[in-house]
């Protein structure tokens, strides 16, 4: 009887929010620790284990939530959250089951892969990283959070911060490139954008950093594959962005699929407990990736019960889709393979997150239909997405200042990506309304007004129809043309010969990169390469507008095409943003966050490599025997990290340092004058690199340690100042101690990692 009274009181005083109407103030509840402890005291073991279960619902049809296959589990308290439901109406229906029909009325988390925007879609993360603009990147996450939260979502599986130096790996498109310093800055900006200063606000959502850890370094560049590296490399090169997200207060972490030191990350206690909890003091909860627990069976770690216990013991709190926790933890507890304390700790962390989100005060706080009508895909958001997209584009070549184009004459827009609005958002754009995306052709027509714009497809994505089908999944069709290649080419050449300039829209389709889209060849598909060469033969000036989700091998294109603009996949406003840059309304300022190789045989390739005892030869194609070089290829990349041209010219001068000696408590200032010596106003990313010349372990030949994006009017000069402290010089040594070592250093400042000026200084003992 007493228990019934207590439960009734709890339902009235704490969960009475389910009866609230409109925007009435949410109920005041007890402090988090006390509230969660009291709630857990009333939970059965089954209800506790249920909180650790994260199934996917499928996209439940409005009005069908109660009859869905997950409804009974929710009612029975066997679900902690759901993902892949979109829209306020559907989410409210499901949440109602949890808070009105389950015994303890615990609200659900609702997650979605809000990766680079919601319905207003921003450039793919690799493209975003090329803005080198942390305010823009943070703002993109803020807008994503606002729109997702307005549509019922309260948890995003983002940011993905995996460092990758292998463009064969398809998911390089989802990350921020190859550099730990830049990647760390972006991780922090994304977390701050999603979570804001207060998760209780209804326009913020819980962030989830992924994939912990090392997922971006799989053998052979093949997704889900084995990763094997030294601890020094982990700590110096691959761990920093994850730690930056933890330091920024990210609320959750997702485990990676790969193994580390022979143990899959999902069951790796050293990774999840020793590093994440003990070393980094992470306070949130850890969720597996999709079926991460049962996949450990295929790794050879045991049956479902064994791997589920392994995951919990390692430090995993929530099981995505695998249902290993739901179906085996009770048995493992009775067999003493796991402890009740471990289960309780996992439950507490998940309930803490729900409390922080304000769900116990108002489980419907994300279900305001008025917000859904007025805050999603707004005019203002689209304008910000267009501006951000324009900042992400990287000008790779501009021979004889072909760009910007004039808004006069006749322009031929040719290529399978020219009129492909379904592909503009790129991979992992699950909330995008592809029908509302702006194609390149539409963007050019909009920006040029009455200019004569002609269009032809020119070729299919690839000669192989099966390949094209595999590369255009999830509704991102290119509407394969059944005419012969000769017929497509003839049409393209006809309009090319009528034009003053040709804009060739070529490259990858959106799903040629992303998850499970690894490639062994990094060139533009042959059908498009053949088309491009025929267009060049017309003698008309050709601008290659390159669509890609990864660095590509572009040696032939670089040698033959006068202008190349790399546009990545620039989001729902892609076509307009690309046209803004093509026609000079925006001066390109993007800089590469990943090295472009000359050949797939150079992979992995990255700027902050280490020297050898026989340092790199073969520069500019000169082979040197008994040096670390290739017989058949140069060592240097086609386009280095940090590279990107502008319509104007920036000149660097007067590189100085405040002192050539510093003590551990000092800072020195490196300054440089940057002048806009061209004819256009523009933005420049000024980059600072450091080299530690002598160390207890070998050190990279160059490491990014600072950058500033500045705006200069034509003719204007600004002095850019970087501060170097002992923190700037620290690294993890062989004992995994984070320390700076006295000795000689070099500072480099310039426009990319290869074009720099240097100055020396010394750190005293």
């Amino acid at each position: 009887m007493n228990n019934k009274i207590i439960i009734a009181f709890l339902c009235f005083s704490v969960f009475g929010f389910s009866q609230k109407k409109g925007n009435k103030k949410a109920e005041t509840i007890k402090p988090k620790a006390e509230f969660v402890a009291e709630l857990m005291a009333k939970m059965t073991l089954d209800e506790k284990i249920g909180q650790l279960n994260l199934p996917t619902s499928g996209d439940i049809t409005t009005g069908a939530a109660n009859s869905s296959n997950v409804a009974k589990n929710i009612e029975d308290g066997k679900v902690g959250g759901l993902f892949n439901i979109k829209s306020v109406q559907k989410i409210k229906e499901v949440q109602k089951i949890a808070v009105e029909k389950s015994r303890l009325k615990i609200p659900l988390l609702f997650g979605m892969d809000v990766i680079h925007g919601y319905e207003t879609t921003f450039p793919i993360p690799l493209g975003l990283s090329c803005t080198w603009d942390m305010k823009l990147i943070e703002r993109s996450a803020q807008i994503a959070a606002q729109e997702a939260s307005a549509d019922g979502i309260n948890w995003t599986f983002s940011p993905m911060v995996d460092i990758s130096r292998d463009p064969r790996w398809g998911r390089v498109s989802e990350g921020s490139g190859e550099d730990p310093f830049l990647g760390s800055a972006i991780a922090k900006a994304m977390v701050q954008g999603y979570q804001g200063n207060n998760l209780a606000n209804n326009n913020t959502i819980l962030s989830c950093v992924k994939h912990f850890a090392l997922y971006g370094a799989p053998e052979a560049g093949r997704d889900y594959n084995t990763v094997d590296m030294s601890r020094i490399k982990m700590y110096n090169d691959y761990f920093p962005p994850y730690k930056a997200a933890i330091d920024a207060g990210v609320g959750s972490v997702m485990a990676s699929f790969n193994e580390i030191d022979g143990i899959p990350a999902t069951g790796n206690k050293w990774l999840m407990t020793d590093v994440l909890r003990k070393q980094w003091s992470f306070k949130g909860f850890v969720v597996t990736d999709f079926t991460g627990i049962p996949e450990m069976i295929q790794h050879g770690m045991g049956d479902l019960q064994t791997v589920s216990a392994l995951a919990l013991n390692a430090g995993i709190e929530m099981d995505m889709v695998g249902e290993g926790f739901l179906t085996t933890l009770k048995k493992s507890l009775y067999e003493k393979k796991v402890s009740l304390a471990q289960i309780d700790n996992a439950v507490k962390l998940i309930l803490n997150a729900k409390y922080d989100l304000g769900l116990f005060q108002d489980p419907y706080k994300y279900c305001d239909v008025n917000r859904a009508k007025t805050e999603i895909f707004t005019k203002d958001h689209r304008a910000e997405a267009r501006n951000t997209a324009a900042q992400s584009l990287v000008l790779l070549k501009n021979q004889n200042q072909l760009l910007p184009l004039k808004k006069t004459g006749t322009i031929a827009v040719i290529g399978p990506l020219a009129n492909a609005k379904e592909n503009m958002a790129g991979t992992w754009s699950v909330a995008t309304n592809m029908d509302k995306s702006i194609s390149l052709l539409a963007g050019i027509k909009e920006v040029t007004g009455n200019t004569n714009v002609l269009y032809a497809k020119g070729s299919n994505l690839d000669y192989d129809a099966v390949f094209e089908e595999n590369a255009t999944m999830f509704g991102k069709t290119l509407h394969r043309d059944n005419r012969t290649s000769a017929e497509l080419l003839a049409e393209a050449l006809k309009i090319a010969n009528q034009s003053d300039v040709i804009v060739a829209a070529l490259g990858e389709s959106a799903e040629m990169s992303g998850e499970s889209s690894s490639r062994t060849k990094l060139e533009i598909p042959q059908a498009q390469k053949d088309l491009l060469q025929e267009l060049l033969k017309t003698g008309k000036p050709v601008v290659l507008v390159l669509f890609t989700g990864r660095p590509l091998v572009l040696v032939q294109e670089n040698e033959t095409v006068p202008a190349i603009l790399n546009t990545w996949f620039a989001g729902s406003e892609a076509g307009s943003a690309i046209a803004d840059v093509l026609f000079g309304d925006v001066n390109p300022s993007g800089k590469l966050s990943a090295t472009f190789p000359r050949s797939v045989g150079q992979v992995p390739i990255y700027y902050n490599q280490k020297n050898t005892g026989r340092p790199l030869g073969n520069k500019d194609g000169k082979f040197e025997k008994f040096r670390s070089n290739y017989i058949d290829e140069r060592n240097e990349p086609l386009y280095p990290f940090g590279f990107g041209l502008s319509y104007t010219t920036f000149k660097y001068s007067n590189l100085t340092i405040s002192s050539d000696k510093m003590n551990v408590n000092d800072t020195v200032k490196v300054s440089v004058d940057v002048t806009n010596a061209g004819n256009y106003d523009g933005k420049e990313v000024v980059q600072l690199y450091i080299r530690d010349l002598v160390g207890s372990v070998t050190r990279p030949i160059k490491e990014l340690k600072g950058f500033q994006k500045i705006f200069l009017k034509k003719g204007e000069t600004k002095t850019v100042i970087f501060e170097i402290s002992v923190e700037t010089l620290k690294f993890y040594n062989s004992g995994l101690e984070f320390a700076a070592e006295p000795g000689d250093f070099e500072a480099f400042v310039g426009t990319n990692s290869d074009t720099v000026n240097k100055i020396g200084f010394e750190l005293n003992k």
Side-chain angles (χ1 to χ4, degrees):
M1 184 67 180
N2 289 337
N3 286 341
K4 292 181 180 178
I5 292 172
I6 290 171
I7 292 170
F9 176 76
L10 183 66
C11 292
F12 177 79
S13 63
V14 176
F15 300 107
F17 46 66
S18 64
Q19 304 302 319
K20 291 196 295 294
K21 304 293 183 183
N23 294 317
K24 291 176 67 177
K25 186 177 180 180
E27 299 289 337
T28 300
I29 61 176
K30 293 180 178 180
K32 180 167 61 178
E34 183 179 357
F35 176 87
V36 170
E38 288 183 1
L39 179 56
M40 287 182 62
K42 296 168 177 61
M43 296 175 73
T44 66
L45 177 60
D46 286 334
E47 286 169 332
K48 289 178 178 179
I49 293 173
Q51 286 298 303
L52 315 186
N53 183 34
L54 180 68
T56 179
S57 62
D59 196 10
I60 294 173
T61 304
T62 303
N66 284 288
S67 60
S68 70
N69 59 357
V70 297
K72 183 64 167 60
N73 276 348
I74 295 172
E75 190 172 338
D76 292 343
K78 294 182 179 179
V79 176
L82 289 174
F83 67 104
N84 283 350
I85 303 182
K86 184 177 185 289
S87 89
V88 164
Q89 292 83 358
K90 297 173 186 177
I91 286 172
K92 189 170 185 178
E93 280 188 39
V94 177
Q95 189 73 288
K96 188 173 182 179
I97 298 170
V99 300
E100 295 186 20
K101 293 188 177 183
S102 70
R103 187 177 77 90
L104 291 179
K105 300 175 170 49
I106 300 174
L108 300 173
L109 293 170
F110 288 93
M112 179 175 275
D113 284 291
V114 182
I115 305 299
H116 52 107
Y118 191 65
E119 286 195 13
T120 303
T121 311
F122 288 80
I124 59 172
L126 185 61
L128 271 176
S129 70
C130 293
T131 67
W132 293 58
D133 189 322
M134 297 309 108
K135 289 183 179 179
L136 278 183
I137 292 172
E138 180 176 344
R139 180 61 181 150
S140 76
Q142 285 177 336
I143 290 173
Q146 182 180 355
E147 292 196 359
S149 64
D151 217 16
I153 306 299
N154 52 42
W155 183 22
T156 177
F157 306 121
S158 175
M160 191 278 247
V161 302
D162 303 320
I163 295 296
S164 181
R165 295 163 171 180
D166 189 339
R168 295 174 299 176
W169 188 55
R171 299 194 81 167
V172 67
S173 60
E174 290 179 58
S176 298
E178 70 189 45
D179 183 70
F181 185 87
L182 178 60
S184 295
I186 293 171
K188 177 182 177 182
M190 292 293 287
V191 171
Q192 290 174 333
Y194 289 131
Q195 297 190 169
N197 296 320
N198 187 357
L199 275 174
N201 293 336
N202 70 353
N203 63 350
T204 62
I205 58 179
L206 191 73
S207 179
C208 183
V209 66
K210 64 184 188 185
H211 306 84
F212 192 61
L214 317 181
Y215 189 40
E219 289 186 357
R222 196 171 68 245
D223 216 349
Y224 319 120
N225 205 6
T226 299
V227 174
D228 191 11
M229 69 172 64
S230 70
R231 297 253 167 127
I232 283 184
K233 194 167 191 175
M234 289 183 202
Y235 278 82
N236 283 315
D237 298 343
Y238 285 81
F239 275 178
Y242 306 117
K243 187 176 186 299
I246 303 303
D247 292 343
V250 71
S252 60
V253 169
M254 182 182 289
S256 57
F257 285 121
N258 54 279
E259 67 174 66
I260 296 165
D261 289 343
I263 301 173
T266 306
N268 195 308
K269 187 173 184 178
W270 172 79
L271 186 69
M272 297 299 170
T273 297
D274 293 349
V275 175
L276 191 59
R277 300 287 183 189
K278 295 179 180 179
Q279 295 179 22
W280 296 354
S281 301
F282 175 59
K283 304 300 183 187
F285 70 91
V286 181
V287 62
T288 73
D289 206 337
F290 199 104
T291 66
I293 288 176
E295 287 186 22
M296 288 196 287
I297 299 170
Q298 294 295 328
H299 277 278
M301 304 304 291
D303 61 15
L304 184 60
Q305 182 184 356
T306 300
V307 297
S308 298
L310 181 66
L312 186 74
N313 289 329
I316 299 291
E317 280 80 45
M318 187 171 258
D319 176 5
M320 183 187 285
V321 178
E323 296 199 342
F325 283 178
L326 189 68
T327 60
T328 72
L329 280 191
K330 197 171 184 179
K331 185 170 186 278
S332 290
L333 178 63
Y334 293 149
E335 294 175 357
K336 298 184 178 180
K337 293 177 179 177
V338 300
S339 70
L340 182 59
Q342 290 170 310
I343 294 173
D344 282 349
N345 182 66
V347 175
K348 180 183 73 172
L349 294 174
I350 292 165
L351 295 179
N352 282 350
K354 294 180 178 183
Y355 185 101
D356 291 339
L357 285 165
L359 292 173
F360 288 113
Q361 288 185 289
D362 183 359
Y364 302 122
K365 63 174 284 192
Y366 296 99
C367 297
D368 183 342
V369 293
N370 292 321
R371 286 191 64 207
K373 291 176 182 177
T374 60
E375 297 183 26
I376 299 174
F377 204 63
T378 66
K379 182 179 179 181
D380 288 345
H381 289 177
R382 293 177 63 189
E384 291 195 62
R386 178 172 178 170
N387 173 59
T388 301
Q391 306 300 316
S392 74
L393 310 188
V394 183
L395 183 61
L396 298 176
K397 186 179 180 183
N398 194 21
Q399 183 177 314
N400 298 324
Q401 289 73 53
L402 174 57
L403 293 175
L405 300 176
K406 295 180 174 60
K407 298 178 184 179
T408 57
T410 299
I411 302 166
V413 183
I414 298 172
L417 278 303
N419 194 26
K421 62 183 180 180
E422 297 93 341
N423 281 256
M424 294 300 96
T427 189
W428 278 119
S429 48
V430 296
T432 300
N433 186 333
M434 291 181 284
D435 288 339
K436 295 180 180 178
S437 294
I438 309 298
S439 71
L440 175 62
L441 179 63
I444 288 176
K445 287 182 176 180
E446 171 205 348
V447 167
T448 58
N450 295 323
T451 303
N452 188 27
V453 178
L454 306 177
Y455 163 71
K457 189 168 187 178
S459 78
N460 285 306
L461 178 75
D462 191 80
Y463 289 125
D464 186 342
V466 175
F467 176 86
E468 180 166 325
E469 183 179 358
N470 292 336
T472 55
M473 304 174 80
F474 310 122
K476 293 170 182 173
T477 177
L478 286 172
H479 305 286
R480 188 171 181 85
D481 198 308
N482 292 321
R483 288 177 290 174
T484 66
S485 299
E487 289 172 327
L488 288 169
L489 177 61
E491 180 185 52
L493 293 177
K494 180 179 179 181
I495 73 159
N497 285 312
Q498 298 172 25
S499 69
D500 298 300
V501 64
I502 300 168
V503 175
L506 309 176
E508 293 188 314
S509 59
E511 294 302 327
M512 279 178 70
S513 58
E515 185 167 357
S516 191
S517 294
S518 299
R519 295 183 63 190
T520 61
K521 299 176 182 178
L522 297 179
E523 293 84 6
I524 294 171
Q526 192 61 47
Q528 298 178 65
K529 289 175 74 74
D530 292 344
L531 169 63
L532 180 59
Q533 292 307 306
E534 292 301 316
L535 295 177
L536 289 166
K537 290 178 183 177
T538 65
K540 305 285 185 175
V542 176
V543 178
L544 170 57
V545 173
L546 180 69
F547 293 90
T548 179
R550 52 159 55 86
L552 293 179
V553 171
L554 300 169
V555 174
Q556 182 183 28
E557 291 75 17
N558 186 63
E559 291 175 350
T560 59
V561 182
I564 304 174
L565 180 66
N566 186 10
T567 66
W568 310 108
F569 291 98
S572 50
E573 306 303 306
S576 300
I578 296 167
D580 287 340
V581 172
L582 285 175
F583 293 93
D585 295 329
V586 176
N587 190 347
S589 61
K591 300 277 190 174
L592 296 179
S593 60
T595 301
F596 274 49
R598 298 181 59 84
S599 165
V600 72
Q602 293 178 313
V603 172
I605 186 168
Y606 47 96
Y607 84 93
N608 51 346
Q609 60 196 328
K610 293 186 176 183
N611 234 336
T612 74
R614 299 184 178 189
L616 301 176
N618 202 5
K619 189 154 186 177
D620 300 325
K622 182 180 179 182
F623 174 70
E624 298 179 56
K625 192 68 173 175
F626 306 118
R627 290 281 176 172
S628 181
N629 51 200
Y630 302 102
I631 294 176
D632 59 349
E633 183 57 271
R634 294 155 63 165
N635 277 350
E636 70 269 24
L638 183 62
Y639 306 119
F641 174 84
F643 178 81
L645 302 175
S646 170
Y647 293 154
T648 193
T649 302
F650 297 102
K651 291 187 177 179
Y652 287 67
S653 61
N654 299 325
L655 178 64
T656 61
I657 191 165
S658 59
S659 175
D660 61 2
K661 296 183 185 298
M662 64 179 289
N663 297 317
V664 292
N665 295 321
D666 296 336
T667 61
V668 296
K669 294 181 179 180
V670 174
S671 64
V672 67
D673 291 340
V674 183
T675 301
N676 183 343
N679 297 319
Y680 296 87
D681 299 344
K683 296 178 180 178
E684 169 71 341
V685 180
V686 185
Q687 302 162 39
L688 168 72
Y689 298 86
I690 297 289
R691 182 174 185 183
D692 188 344
L693 291 169
V694 179
S696 60
V697 296
T698 57
R699 305 292 295 124
I701 60 173
K702 210 173 285 170
E703 295 179 284
L704 183 70
K705 290 295 183 178
F707 57 89
Q708 294 182 37
K709 191 166 189 176
I710 61 173
F711 173 77
L712 292 172
K713 294 182 178 181
K714 59 181 180 180
E716 184 180 6
T717 298
K718 286 185 178 178
T719 300
V720 177
I721 300 173
F722 296 100
E723 285 195 358
I724 299 173
S725 70
V726 70
E727 292 297 317
T728 314
L729 307 178
K730 286 184 176 180
F731 64 96
Y732 287 94
N733 60 27
S734 58
L736 298 183
E737 300 163 315
F738 191 55
E741 296 178 349
D744 293 330
F745 293 82
E746 290 176 338
F748 307 82
V749 179
T751 187
N752 62 63
S753 61
D754 190 55
T755 306
V756 290
N757 297 309
K758 70 179 180 180
I759 196 165
F761 66 98
E762 180 183 358
L763 175 63
N764 295 324
K765 294 182 179 179

